[in-house]
Amino acid sequence: MNGNRSPHARRVPAAGQSLLGVRTVAGQVLLLQVVVAVLLIAAALTALLLQASHDSGQNARNRSLAAAAAMAGSPGMAEDLTGPDPTRALQPVVAGATETAGVDFMTITSPTGLRYADTEPRLIGTRTPGVERATEGEAFTEIFEGAPSDAARAFVPVTDDDGQVVGLVGAGVRIVTVGDSVERQLPVLLGSGAVALALATASAALVSRRLRRQTHGIGPAEMTRMYEHHNAVLHAVREGVLIVDPDGRLALVNDEAQRLLGLSEDAVDRKVSELGLRPGLAALLASERAVSDEVHLVGDRLVSVSTRPTAPYGGNAGNVATLRDTTELRRLSGTARRARERLTILYDAGARIGTTLDVRETAEELSRAVVPRFADFVTVELLDSVIRGDEPSGAVAQMRRAAVSGVRPDHPFQPVGDVIRFAAPGTPMQRALEEVRAVVEPDLAAASGWRAQDPEGAAAALEYGIHSLVVAPLQSGEAVLGLVAFWRGTGTQPFEEDELSFAEELAARAAVAIDNARRFSREHAMAETLQRSLLPHVMPRHTALDVAYRYLPSHARVGGDWFDVIPLPGARVALVVGDVVGHGLQAAATMGRLRTAVHNFSTLDLPPDELLTRLDELVSRIDQDEPGGGAGDGITGATCLYAVYDPVSGTVATARAGHPSPALVLPDGTVRFLDVPVTPPLGLGGLPVETAETVLPEGSRLVLFTDGLVEHRGHDIDEGLQTLSRTLGALAGRTPEETCEAVVQAMPSGDRRDDIALLVARTGRLDPSRVAEWEVPRDPASVRTVRSACMRRLEAWGLEEVGFTTELVLSELLTNAIRYGSAPVRVRMLYERSLVCEVSDGSSTSPHLRRAAATDEGGRGLFLVAQLTSRWGTRYTPTGKVIWAELALGGTEPAAW
């Protein structure tokens, strides 16, 4: 919570807290009123008591005088005083008269003050002091203090018929009696005072309560501070403030409002309509309309006016208006608005330029980014080497126009593709290239250098309405890539010097995008060249398969997909499709390494599962040798499918490592995907690779592909497989070439982010009449019998010219198998494009070619075989091995299939 209490926050006394302890204006007023009431009531009580005491004393004196006068004027008083025994005559009279007259004592004395009779008999005969004035014939009253008691007394002289004073009569009321009278009045006075105090306190509490509501419980220091702050803010702030009451009269105005509106000192309490303001402004100030920053002209100033009603915020009904001088702000806001527009254009240009990594398209994006917000037309010229993707080189005075954009299509500028020369000295383009900065030409009609470079083109541009130019170099590092020119025509203001920084910033950003596109184009071309050099250029011809393929690189970057068709001994063919995760040179180089490895392993005539196992080990070893030791920087992630088709048996043996299964299209149009056990991608290992064998009817089509064909952004791989299956099913009877074309057309196109490798092979069978096979007993004498049978088959095939060579080769291979191998021993001859002789036995021991010494009896058989055949080799089978030799047939026609 905020530790600073708002001065308007209301104070509420805590429970049990004395009301007099509240340090608020209302509390202090209440305390002051109570204190004043107490003092006034005390003073009134004191005055009443004094008045009562005075009245009681005066009454006592009056009663004393009246009693004394009555007694002195009673009949026979003079005679009794002058009689022989005044005491006897007067004492009874005094005793009865005291009670009757309502006095405390009465005495009758001689003219000298000697008591003849007294209320107190013991005092008879004593002298009364202080009665000299009565002796002289003057009646008087006084407050006597002395013996026998303090009292209010009166003495009246008694005269005879001659007017001589013959005695004195005195009467009095004791002071104690007077005090008793006042005390009897005291409860009434105190009760009246208490009632008065209660009434005063209640009225003060009511006044304090209303004052507390109106002052929100603030204290006097806060009220003083609020008043001081009010004056300081009201008159020191540089914003005009005025309040208008509901009658349209000016209730308050500060110094700034007086200055802005030109008001006089006596403007307060006058109607707003009488202040000499413009009617619109006066009507706004007198109305109840709430506005924000409504601008009005006051003299030569632009004043921004905001009005709000005061009633909702705790004040009385009326309006409060605030005024600000926006004359200078308007000029500054225009500059700020232009700067904001420039920043917006730069932001938009940054988002729109460089989205395709294509040099020409990037130049087009630059030309479109600022039309029409900054320029009416934009032209972009680039060096030819930059357009090709090479390093910037060549004379910068000659460039090729790469893009033109404008508010109208019928521009007067040279079209895209034209060579633009900047040979004339002093032109804005030449200056921009020499100084490597943006140059402005506000008036092209007066620019002699620009007009001299191309008089006809300049005249056409001026006639069209082009009048102003800013040209900026496109520079990356120290190299100039090109130029960008901004043109303005009729209806727009000429370029100014302060717009050069914007043009340079835009050109700098565009140059980065163009250089990135140039570098990408160069890398893409290099990667594409490398990849195409690593892919097969010509498919080898095979009598067992009719093969067609398609390779489609991604739209963004070259990837690592590859395919291959590898001839194998025994008329067999290996079909390979692989994919390396990633794009660019690294992926292309990795693809080349794996393709070469597959070729090398295939020369060993390995089964598909063993070949992929060795390929997986190779990839793992390569990853270990890469920097980082296999920590993720290698080539892990490659997939491969390896299939071997044997046209003699019609079987295909397939194994895959992380790759999609091939599709099989039967002659009747039925489509299914081969059930090939899947293992992890190459380099991950951990699971054995398995081979699946499938017998294919003659005329079937085997479709191998990479995942780029069936996987597409926005489409699930299952949807892609279903689409592929439907497409292949509708292509019954089509050739592999037609199948490839139809599949590529049917699959989703668009922004292709992965390469596509597609391989379609139509299978055939080798004519059984072109295959000859014999089982050979393990007897050296059987060699001659088999050799004779082979010669007869060669004669049937019309291959007598190779009979001697074949006979010699078979003799050597059979002799070795019988001597060093194990049963069963078999011989097979295949007549395809060449003549293949195969000798198999149950032993896994492979013969090796060596050079025999001059004295050795053996060791020359394989040497003769190698010299007489085009190639030879060994392949292993689950039951042993096969040693094969291939003899070229020259111009002999291949067997039909």
Side-chain angles (χ1 to χ4, degrees):
M1 297 179 61
N2 191 353
N4 297 324
R5 187 177 64 86
S6 169
H8 297 285
R10 183 174 182 177
R11 289 178 180 263
V12 180
Q17 182 181 359
S18 174
L19 183 63
L20 298 181
V22 178
R23 298 181 180 274
T24 62
V25 173
Q28 293 190 8
V29 169
L30 174 62
L31 177 63
L32 181 61
Q33 287 179 327
V34 171
V35 170
V36 170
V38 170
L39 292 177
L40 289 177
I41 292 173
L45 289 176
T46 303
L48 288 175
L49 290 174
L50 292 176
Q51 183 65 36
S53 178
H54 177 270
D55 291 345
S56 296
Q58 187 64 34
N59 184 38
R61 295 170 68 178
N62 291 337
R63 281 189 294 146
S64 299
L65 181 60
M71 179 63 73
S74 63
M77 178 59 66
E79 288 80 2
D80 290 339
L81 286 172
T82 56
D85 192 358
T87 300
R88 180 183 295 177
L90 297 176
Q91 182 63 30
V93 175
V94 170
T98 301
E99 185 175 353
T100 303
V103 294
D104 292 328
F105 65 88
M106 184 174 289
T107 185
I108 299 175
T109 67
S110 65
T112 59
L114 180 66
R115 291 185 177 90
Y116 294 145
D118 196 279
T119 303
E120 296 286 340
R122 61 183 180 81
L123 298 178
I124 296 174
T126 62
R127 190 173 295 280
T128 301
V131 295
E132 288 78 6
R133 289 187 295 170
T135 302
E136 295 176 355
E138 177 185 359
F140 72 92
T141 61
E142 65 176 358
I143 299 300
F144 175 77
E145 296 178 358
S149 65
D150 298 339
R153 67 180 183 177
F155 281 90
V156 177
V158 180
T159 59
D160 55 11
D161 294 337
D162 296 330
Q164 293 292 323
V165 175
V166 294
L168 303 176
V169 177
V173 178
R174 293 185 180 89
I175 296 299
V176 176
T177 303
V178 175
D180 292 340
S181 177
V182 174
E183 288 178 0
R184 286 193 298 271
Q185 298 180 24
L186 186 60
V188 176
L189 294 177
L190 292 178
S192 300
V195 172
L197 180 60
L199 293 175
T201 302
S203 62
L206 292 176
V207 172
S208 175
R209 182 178 179 183
R210 181 171 180 82
L211 183 61
R212 184 182 295 109
R213 288 199 304 268
Q214 293 182 343
T215 60
H216 302 283
I218 61 177
E222 293 172 329
M223 181 173 289
T224 302
R225 185 165 59 252
M226 286 177 57
Y227 180 77
E228 293 173 349
H229 291 175
H230 169 268
N231 282 342
V233 172
L234 185 65
H235 297 289
V237 70
R238 301 307 299 170
E239 184 168 334
V241 179
L242 53 86
I243 298 178
V244 181
D245 63 19
D247 297 331
R249 294 183 180 275
L250 188 62
L252 180 144
V253 61
N254 69 345
D255 297 342
E256 182 67 9
Q258 281 186 321
R259 184 185 71 83
L260 292 177
L261 300 180
L263 302 180
S264 59
E265 295 292 336
D266 60 347
V268 178
D269 293 332
R270 292 174 58 187
K271 284 187 172 294
V272 175
S273 58
E274 300 173 356
L275 298 179
L277 303 177
R278 288 179 177 265
L281 178 57
L284 173 62
L285 296 178
S287 69
E288 297 181 357
R289 185 162 55 98
V291 300
S292 296
D293 296 327
E294 187 174 297
V295 179
H296 289 265
L297 181 63
V298 180
D300 58 348
R301 298 189 183 94
L302 290 174
V303 178
S304 175
V305 182
S306 299
T307 61
R308 292 290 186 277
T310 58
Y313 305 101
N316 297 323
N319 282 342
V320 59
T322 57
L323 314 173
R324 289 183 293 111
D325 188 354
T326 62
T327 306
E328 184 64 25
L329 182 61
R330 286 282 170 168
R331 290 194 291 266
L332 295 176
S333 64
T335 303
R337 184 176 60 256
R338 288 193 298 272
R340 185 168 58 252
E341 291 174 353
R342 299 291 184 263
L343 289 176
T344 302
I345 295 174
L346 284 176
Y347 176 80
D348 294 342
R352 295 171 57 184
I353 298 174
T355 61
T356 63
L357 290 177
D358 180 82
V359 175
R360 294 183 182 273
E361 184 60 30
T362 304
E364 287 287 346
E365 292 170 345
L366 168 60
S367 66
R368 294 191 299 264
V370 294
V371 176
R373 292 183 292 177
F374 179 69
D376 296 330
F377 295 92
V378 178
T379 60
V380 181
E381 287 80 49
L382 298 176
L383 295 173
D384 284 334
S385 58
V386 173
I387 296 176
R388 294 192 303 268
D390 299 333
E391 290 292 333
S393 61
V396 295
Q398 176 176 310
M399 300 182 186
R400 190 172 300 276
R401 179 144 293 168
V404 179
S405 293
V407 294
R408 293 169 55 185
D410 57 335
H411 56 78
F413 306 103
Q414 292 177 252
V416 173
D418 277 11
V419 175
I420 310 297
R421 294 179 176 82
F422 310 113
T427 64
M429 293 74 173
Q430 191 68 29
R431 288 160 48 201
L433 292 173
E434 292 175 354
E435 301 173 10
V436 195
R437 66 176 183 86
V439 174
V440 62
E441 193 64 66
D443 186 5
L444 291 176
S448 57
W450 173 74
R451 296 169 61 186
Q453 176 176 289
D454 183 9
E456 294 182 1
L462 293 174
E463 184 179 356
Y464 186 85
I466 303 298
H467 59 75
S468 185
L469 165 68
V470 167
V471 60
L474 298 170
Q475 185 180 16
S476 176
E478 298 296 329
V480 174
L481 308 177
L483 283 175
V484 55
F486 307 95
W487 311 81
R488 285 182 181 174
T490 304
T492 54
Q493 297 293 324
F495 286 109
E496 299 177 357
E497 290 287 340
D498 61 352
E499 294 177 296
L500 291 179
S501 58
F502 170 78
E504 289 179 342
E505 178 66 21
L506 181 62
R509 296 191 180 192
V512 172
I514 291 174
D515 193 50
N516 288 339
R518 177 192 65 80
R519 294 175 184 273
F520 174 80
S521 298
R522 182 180 61 176
E523 179 183 343
H524 183 78
M526 293 172 61
E528 190 174 23
T529 301
L530 174 62
Q531 185 187 42
R532 292 196 179 278
S533 67
L534 296 174
L535 289 173
H537 297 286
V538 179
M539 283 286 102
R541 296 180 61 189
H542 300 275
T543 57
L545 289 177
D546 182 13
V547 179
Y549 69 92
R550 289 291 186 275
Y551 178 80
L552 303 176
S554 67
H555 290 168
R557 303 177 66 187
V558 171
D561 292 13
W562 91 91
F563 62 93
D564 230 326
V565 179
I566 306 173
L568 297 177
R572 295 170 302 127
V573 180
L575 303 175
V576 187
V577 173
D579 184 4
V580 175
V581 176
H583 296 85
L585 287 173
Q586 179 68 21
T590 301
M591 177 270 290
R593 298 168 75 178
L594 295 183
R595 180 170 178 255
T596 302
V598 171
H599 268 273
N600 292 335
F601 290 144
S602 67
T603 60
L604 301 176
D605 209 354
L606 300 174
D609 54 349
E610 188 173 345
L611 185 142
L612 289 184
T613 300
R614 295 198 179 188
L615 191 62
D616 178 75
E617 295 173 354
L618 173 65
V619 171
S620 299
R621 188 164 59 250
I622 292 176
D623 283 345
Q624 293 294 331
D625 295 339
E626 290 288 337
D633 298 327
I635 62 174
T636 302
T639 65
C640 185
L641 172 68
Y642 188 82
V644 177
Y645 177 67
D646 186 351
V648 176
S649 62
T651 60
V652 60
T654 310
R656 60 179 177 141
H659 204 85
S661 292
L664 175 62
V665 185
L666 299 177
D668 60 357
T670 303
V671 180
R672 66 183 178 90
F673 293 93
L674 296 183
D675 186 12
V676 182
V678 65
T679 53
L682 300 174
L684 299 181
L687 293 177
V689 182
E690 298 181 46
T691 298
E693 290 192 358
T694 307
V695 178
L696 306 181
E698 189 173 1
S700 300
R701 282 169 293 169
L702 198 60
V703 181
L704 288 72
F705 54 89
T706 57
D707 57 2
L709 181 70
V710 293
E711 247 183 346
H712 194 270
R713 188 173 59 177
H715 297 275
D716 188 75
I717 188 172
D718 292 334
E719 296 179 14
L721 292 174
Q722 293 174 4
T723 302
L724 177 62
S725 179
R726 288 194 301 268
T727 303
L728 293 174
L731 299 175
R734 301 288 184 91
T735 64
E737 187 67 30
E738 293 171 340
T739 303
C740 285
E741 188 65 27
V743 168
V744 171
Q745 293 295 331
M747 300 309 289
S749 57
D751 185 14
R752 191 167 55 250
R753 295 183 175 272
D754 197 4
D755 296 0
I756 294 177
L758 175 64
L759 189 63
V760 179
R762 185 172 62 184
T763 63
R765 291 288 186 92
L766 191 62
D767 190 347
S769 63
R770 304 301 182 183
V771 179
E773 189 171 3
W774 299 272
E775 187 168 350
V776 181
R778 291 199 63 192
D779 183 1
S782 62
V783 175
R784 178 179 180 181
T785 303
V786 174
R787 187 169 59 233
S788 298
C790 291
M791 292 302 296
R792 288 193 299 269
R793 182 55 61 95
L794 291 178
E795 291 175 359
W797 288 341
L799 302 178
E800 295 86 350
E801 71 275 9
V802 295
F804 176 77
T805 305
T806 304
E807 185 179 4
L808 183 57
V809 170
L810 283 175
S811 297
E812 292 296 333
L813 295 180
L814 274 174
T815 302
N816 285 337
I818 293 173
R819 179 178 299 177
Y820 303 109
S822 61
V825 178
R826 301 182 65 86
V827 174
R828 188 174 72 164
M829 288 197 310
L830 304 176
Y831 174 30
E832 195 210 14
R833 293 181 179 276
S834 59
L835 180 64
V836 179
C837 299
E838 296 180 347
V839 177
S840 63
D841 65 81
S843 172
S844 60
T845 303
S846 176
H848 296 282
L849 180 66
R850 64 185 181 87
R851 185 181 296 275
T855 59
D856 289 344
E857 295 183 359
R860 296 176 178 83
L862 286 180
F863 179 76
L864 290 175
V865 171
Q867 296 298 314
L868 295 174
T869 61
S870 59
R871 57 178 183 156
W872 73 279
T874 303
R875 83 170 170 272
Y876 294 93
T877 66
T879 59
K881 68 176 180 297
V882 176
I883 302 176
W884 57 270
E886 184 175 315
L887 287 77
L889 299 179
T892 306
E893 291 294 328
W897 59 280

